[in-house]
Amino acid sequence: MARPKQYAPKVPTDIMNSTSLQPPATASSSSSAISPSASCFAFRNSVTSASVASQPCAFRNSAIFLSCGGSVSVSLYPMDGAQMKQYGVHGIVTRSQQLGAAIRTVKTAEDPEAHFLSFTEGYKLFKGKIADVLRETRAGFNFGRVVLEGIGECKGRSAAVEFQNENLTAEVDGKIVATVPDLICLVDTETFSPVTTDALKYGKRVLVVGLKCFEMWRSPAGIELVGPRYFGVDTDYIPLEERCKE
């Protein structure tokens, strides 16, 4: 049987999740080397960018993304084997498999929620029903805030998650309980499948779960690059496990 034609490059998960925190020699001193990068979209169209500076390349990729209806496959942040070993997110494929196993096996567990949290090593931040979703698109980014009303043991309480494409902060009763670069995940309370920001809708019941990020993101360079203040959030980064002790 003939193999189906591929219209977009498939990039290994390890590479897609291993942005270098240290600019390679070919990059400018102020940013990591995003290029050369390649974008592939419908009808076999593709674009290759070889800008030395990362910012113009990023803007160009954003323009391509918007002009193609928001669906583009991108390969970027090239690095050699030595850089990958030093700065890559080690074990990301295995970790992804573990998370998938947690979702697949949750229905057979005596206590699905406890099973899921144990399997994922996650922190339960809140359980609630979506009461409101505010979102807007600016410069190619999906900005917004989802408001939750507590259910179960969280009944009578409220929570909110701010996002910019991905979740940035989670707060419960007005107090921040998690921020980037730690992962803030919303999962369906029945299936425990992820609920992405574009799938948020009124009435959906979700569990807000925090996952610790890769340790390198907690370094000064990592916090500077993707910490809460980088996204305009007026708070310092405090590790998830420390916030959950408070």
Side-chain angles (χ1 to χ4, degrees):
M1 180 182 296
R3 295 180 61 187
K5 294 181 178 179
Q6 298 292 325
Y7 294 95
K10 290 188 176 181
V11 183
T13 308
D14 294 73
I15 296 176
M16 293 299 289
N17 288 278
S18 56
T19 302
S20 173
L21 300 186
Q22 176 173 307
T26 55
S28 66
S29 60
S30 60
S31 61
S32 299
I34 195 175
S35 70
S37 68
S39 302
C40 184
F41 40 99
F43 309 113
R44 296 187 180 183
N45 292 316
S46 62
V47 175
T48 301
S49 176
S51 300
V52 174
S54 294
Q55 193 171 46
C57 186
F59 287 154
R60 188 177 298 113
N61 283 334
S62 295
I64 294 170
F65 177 78
L66 290 172
S67 66
C68 295
S71 180
V72 178
S73 295
V74 182
S75 176
L76 67 172
Y77 289 107
M79 62 184 72
D80 58 30
Q83 289 173 318
M84 175 66 75
K85 290 179 180 178
Q86 187 171 3
Y87 299 107
V89 180
H90 301 166
I92 188 63
V93 172
T94 300
R95 177 63 168 157
S96 299
Q97 291 174 330
Q98 291 172 340
L99 294 174
I103 295 172
R104 290 194 307 272
T105 59
V106 72
K107 288 187 177 181
T108 62
E110 183 176 342
D111 186 337
E113 186 177 295
H115 171 84
F116 178 81
L117 293 172
S118 175
F119 221 113
T120 60
E121 299 179 347
Y123 290 78
K124 181 179 178 179
L125 303 177
F126 195 77
K127 187 175 185 178
K129 179 179 68 175
I130 296 178
D132 196 10
V133 182
L134 307 172
R135 55 161 61 94
E136 62 175 318
T137 301
R138 301 197 309 268
F141 290 99
N142 182 23
F143 291 84
R145 176 183 176 90
V146 55
V147 180
L148 305 170
E149 294 179 350
I151 58 175
E153 68 273 25
C154 294
K155 189 173 183 179
R157 307 178 70 187
S158 63
V161 175
E162 301 271 357
F163 57 86
Q164 180 183 325
N165 283 8
E166 307 296 339
N167 298 321
L168 300 178
T169 66
E171 60 182 59
V172 176
D173 294 334
K175 179 182 178 181
I176 293 179
V177 294
T179 71
V180 287
D182 288 320
L183 296 133
I184 301 167
C185 311
L186 274 62
V187 300
D188 186 282
T189 56
E190 297 295 327
T191 66
F192 293 88
S193 296
V195 180
T196 56
T197 55
D198 59 340
L200 298 170
K201 59 183 180 181
Y202 175 81
K204 191 168 187 62
R205 294 169 180 259
V206 297
L207 186 68
V208 185
V209 179
L211 301 176
K212 293 190 292 185
C213 66
F214 182 57
E215 59 186 18
M216 194 174 290
W217 287 118
R218 295 183 171 188
S219 68
I223 298 302
E224 182 181 1
L225 188 62
V226 292
R229 293 194 182 279
Y230 176 84
F231 294 98
V233 181
D234 188 21
T235 185
D236 292 327
Y237 171 69
I238 299 175
L240 172 69
E241 59 273 24
E242 292 184 20
R243 285 190 183 273
C244 289
K245 289 179 182 179
E246 299 177 359

